[in-house]
């Protein structure tokens, strides 16, 4: 009975105290996050794609690296006039090194943008796994907190139902009051069991989304401090500009868009200069040559190429510009969608906050009601079943408070995803 003479603040302090041991989890947020990354096939695939783009970017950066080919030739001459000797054989070593071209800078820029974009995809995958783990562990911890508070209510309910049973057996209270009290207790236990089962369901969902699994879920969780800091986030202060600036998906799409423009510009290279060399070596020797001789057809020179007309390349470039404009429209659409999503999250957040504040007032009044009823029991002004109903109502309020907090966790983590950020922990 002393518990319910305390204020709502005292209730929270007692609940936090009862969770102090449970909050020291051997496996915390970082351990689960790292384990989830290590078993993520999608994450490893994204890393491989980033390395692939890095290799392509290196090829564009070193465009000047020579192309070297070795060709073997054997020729049998025939006809009215044939050279002497009539057969020749040779090895040809061809070296072609590009010195410059009008499309070089655009190709290098496009490759750099694609590489940076693929690296952002890796970062985005890491953030996605982190936020998924944080969401479920925060919900699990908040649910555990509710169950810890609930144990105290359960003790009081059992106590008053037993007192009602004694009163009904003694004839000082009706049997219907006992049945009513037992019904409230049964509803209470059913509601608690469903909430308890939701923890197992959240662990299953975590496994489905991240492939992380554990045989000892009771050893996995986040601290009360981390949960408190998460729920203390005020997402109503986040601006659309912040989202546009930090969102990994938008940054990725913008880099790809820039790369697409560079690719369109480089689609038709008008002018290029190359250094060329061909060295011909005699293979078997002949009447005129000895094996290993360098033939007089060998040469080194500069090759300049100017594209006067190429319909196919011109149309390909035109197509690339249209694709760039199409992607530009999609990027603008993505920005609008993000702004709308942020606005929706902030509105839901504020609505839930208002409902939560109102509910806290109701909980305080409900606690006062229980205290008053306990005093009135001493002067026989009411039955034990009345307190049982009030306690059951108090539990319903705490269940509703739990649902509000779970909704707040979703809103906060969804906003973190929009901003591509992690939770800043203050020690």
């Amino acid at each position: 009975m002393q518990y319910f003479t305390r204020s709502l603040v005292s209730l929270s302090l007692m609940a936090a105290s009862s969770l102090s041991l449970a909050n020291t989890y051997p496996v915390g947020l970082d351990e689960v996050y790292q384990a989830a990354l290590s078993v993520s096939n999608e994450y490893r695939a994204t890393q491989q794609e980033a390395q692939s783009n890095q290799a392509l970017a290196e090829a564009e950066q070193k465009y000047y690296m020579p192309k070297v080919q070795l060709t073997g030739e054997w020729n049998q001459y025939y006809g009215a006039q044939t050279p002497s000797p009539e057969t020749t054989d040779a090895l040809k070593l061809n070296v072609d090194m590009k010195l410059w071209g009008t499309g070089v800078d655009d190709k290098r820029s496009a490759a750099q943008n694609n590489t940076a974009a693929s690296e952002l995809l890796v970062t985005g995958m890491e953030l996605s796994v982190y936020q998924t783990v944080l969401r479920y562990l925060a919900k699990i911890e908040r649910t555990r907190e509710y169950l810890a508070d609930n144990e105290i209510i359960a003790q009081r309910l059992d106590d008053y139902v037993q007192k009602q049973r004694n009163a009904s057996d003694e004839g000082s209270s009706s049997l219907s009051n006992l049945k009513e009290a037992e019904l409230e207790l049964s509803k209470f236990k059913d509601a608690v069991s469903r909430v308890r089962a939701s923890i197992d369901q959240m662990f299953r969902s975590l496994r489905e989304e991240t492939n992380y699994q554990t045989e000892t879920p009771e050893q996995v969780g986040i601290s009360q401090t981390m949960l408190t800091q998460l729920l203390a986030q005020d997402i109503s202060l986040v601006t659309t500009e912040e989202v546009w600036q930090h969102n990994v998906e938008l940054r990725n799409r913008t880099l790809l868009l820039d790369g697409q423009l560079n690719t369109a510009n480089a689609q038709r290279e008008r002018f290029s200069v190359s250094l060329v060399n061909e060295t011909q070596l005699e293979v078997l020797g002949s009447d005129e040559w000895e094996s290993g001789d360098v033939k007089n057809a060998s040469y080194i020179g500069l090759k300049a190429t100017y594209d006067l007309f190429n319909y196919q390349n011109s149309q390909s470039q035109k197509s690339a510009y249209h694709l760039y404009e199409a992607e530009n429209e999609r990027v603008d659409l993505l920005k609008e969608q993000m702004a709308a999503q942020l606005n929706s999250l902030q509105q839901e957040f504020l609505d839930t906050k208002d409902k939560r504040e109102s509910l806290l007032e109701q909980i305080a009044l409900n606690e006062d009601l229980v205290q008053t009823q306990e005093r009135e029991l001493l002067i026989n002004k009411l039955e034990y079943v009345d307190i049982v109903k009030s306690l059951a109502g108090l539990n319903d309020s705490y269940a509703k408070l739990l649902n509000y907090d779970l909704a707040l966790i979703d809103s906060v983590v969804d906003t973190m995803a929009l901003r591509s950020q992690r939770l800043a922990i203050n020690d």
Side-chain angles (χ1 to χ4, degrees):
M1 188 162 61
Q2 292 179 350
Y3 174 77
F4 287 103
T5 62
R6 299 174 183 265
S7 67
L8 180 62
V9 174
S10 298
L11 172 64
S12 299
L13 291 175
M14 289 184 69
S17 176
S18 67
L19 286 173
S20 59
L21 292 178
N23 276 324
T24 310
Y25 297 105
V27 182
L29 172 65
D30 189 58
E31 289 80 8
V32 176
Y33 164 63
Q34 294 296 338
L37 273 186
S38 68
V39 295
S40 173
N41 299 97
E42 187 62 30
Y43 177 63
R44 290 196 294 271
T46 305
Q47 287 181 311
Q48 292 296 327
E49 290 171 350
Q51 292 174 12
S52 171
N53 281 318
Q54 180 62 47
L56 293 175
E58 186 175 347
E60 292 296 346
Q61 292 298 320
K62 297 181 179 180
Y63 69 92
Y64 49 81
M65 293 295 288
K67 299 175 184 177
V68 182
Q69 292 180 320
L70 183 63
T71 306
E73 287 188 1
W74 178 87
N75 300 313
Q76 171 70 54
Y77 299 98
Y78 60 91
Q81 295 182 347
T82 58
S84 179
E86 296 180 354
T87 61
T88 62
D89 45 72
L91 284 178
K92 292 183 178 182
L93 183 68
N94 295 90
V95 180
D96 190 332
M97 184 171 68
K98 185 174 183 177
L99 300 179
W100 182 79
T102 54
V104 165
D105 290 341
D106 282 316
K107 289 179 180 179
R108 296 174 76 175
S109 296
Q112 288 174 344
N113 285 330
N114 289 337
T115 300
S118 62
E119 290 172 352
L120 279 178
L121 284 180
V122 175
T123 301
M125 182 62 64
E126 292 171 349
L127 285 170
S128 177
V129 173
Y130 171 86
Q131 289 151 4
T132 299
V133 171
L134 176 62
R135 183 193 306 273
Y136 282 113
L137 293 190
K139 287 185 171 185
I140 288 168
E141 187 59 30
R142 180 61 185 88
T143 304
R144 286 169 172 166
E145 180 186 275
Y146 162 80
L147 292 173
D149 290 342
N150 197 271
E151 288 178 4
I152 302 173
I153 298 178
Q155 293 172 3
R156 304 306 296 163
L157 271 174
D158 285 335
D159 182 40
Y160 282 115
V161 169
Q162 184 58 48
K163 288 180 178 180
Q164 179 62 58
R165 185 176 292 111
N166 294 339
S168 297
D169 290 344
E170 293 169 358
S172 60
S173 181
S174 68
L175 185 60
S176 63
N177 284 341
L178 173 60
K179 296 299 181 182
E180 201 170 351
E182 289 177 337
L183 178 61
E184 291 293 341
L185 180 60
S186 177
K187 291 179 179 178
F188 167 83
K189 290 181 177 179
D190 178 65
V192 172
S193 67
R194 281 187 276 111
V195 172
R196 197 179 305 278
S198 71
I199 292 180
D200 293 334
Q201 178 58 52
M202 283 186 277
F203 271 111
R204 287 194 295 271
S205 297
L206 177 62
R207 177 181 177 180
E208 291 171 4
E209 295 187 33
T210 66
N211 208 26
Y212 172 80
Q213 55 183 320
T214 176
E215 299 297 328
T216 54
E218 68 280 355
Q219 297 184 11
V220 179
I222 63 173
S223 68
Q224 188 71 26
T225 300
M226 185 177 294
L227 176 63
T228 300
Q229 292 184 6
L230 179 64
L231 287 171
Q233 300 293 309
D234 187 358
I235 67 171
S236 65
L237 302 177
V238 178
T239 64
T240 302
E241 288 71 22
E242 286 180 283
V243 171
W244 290 347
Q245 179 182 358
H246 299 291
N247 183 269
V248 166
E249 182 185 0
L250 182 59
R251 290 164 60 195
N252 167 267
R253 296 278 289 274
T254 301
L255 283 170
L256 290 177
L257 182 65
D258 292 341
Q260 201 161 3
L261 179 60
N262 294 133
T263 300
N265 291 334
Q267 193 76 30
R268 184 181 180 187
E269 190 169 50
R270 289 284 187 172
F271 184 70
S272 65
V273 179
S274 300
L275 177 67
V276 293
N277 168 246
E278 180 173 287
T279 301
Q280 296 189 24
L281 295 175
E282 180 70 18
V283 179
L284 300 176
S286 64
D287 294 340
E288 297 182 4
W289 305 96
E290 293 184 3
S291 299
D293 282 351
V294 177
K295 295 189 174 184
N296 53 17
S298 301
Y299 64 90
I300 185 171
L302 289 175
K303 181 174 69 174
T305 304
Y306 187 81
D307 185 1
L308 293 175
F309 177 77
N310 190 318
Y311 179 77
Q312 284 73 21
N313 281 353
S314 177
Q315 289 300 104
S316 295
Q317 186 176 50
K318 183 177 180 180
S319 172
Y321 281 128
H322 284 305
L323 290 175
Y324 165 77
E325 292 297 339
E327 186 61 23
N328 197 22
E329 293 291 339
R330 292 190 179 97
V331 169
D332 288 342
L333 175 60
L334 179 60
K335 294 172 71 174
E336 294 174 4
Q337 291 173 335
M338 287 180 175
Q341 185 180 356
L342 176 64
N343 180 265
S344 177
L345 285 170
Q346 289 175 326
Q347 192 59 53
E348 291 174 5
F349 174 81
L350 293 174
D351 289 345
T352 304
K353 278 283 191 180
D354 289 341
K355 293 176 183 177
R356 190 179 189 276
E357 290 300 318
S358 177
L359 181 61
L360 288 175
E361 294 177 3
Q362 295 176 33
I363 290 175
L365 291 173
N366 203 327
E367 289 179 330
D368 289 340
L369 173 61
V370 172
Q371 295 169 22
T372 302
Q373 288 175 328
E374 287 180 327
R375 289 192 297 267
E376 290 183 344
L377 273 175
L378 301 176
I379 54 177
N380 297 321
K381 283 191 173 183
L382 70 161
E383 302 277 355
Y384 291 112
V385 67
D386 296 320
I387 298 184
V388 170
K389 290 179 180 179
S390 297
L391 287 172
L394 182 60
N395 175 69
D396 290 341
S397 295
Y398 274 118
K400 188 178 291 186
L401 182 63
L402 169 64
N403 290 331
Y404 285 159
D405 284 348
L406 296 182
L408 288 176
I409 290 171
D410 279 333
S411 295
V412 171
V413 175
D414 286 341
T415 304
M416 290 172 59
L418 270 182
R419 296 180 66 193
S420 297
Q421 67 169 166
R422 300 172 188 252
L423 179 64
I425 304 299
N426 301 319
D427 297 329

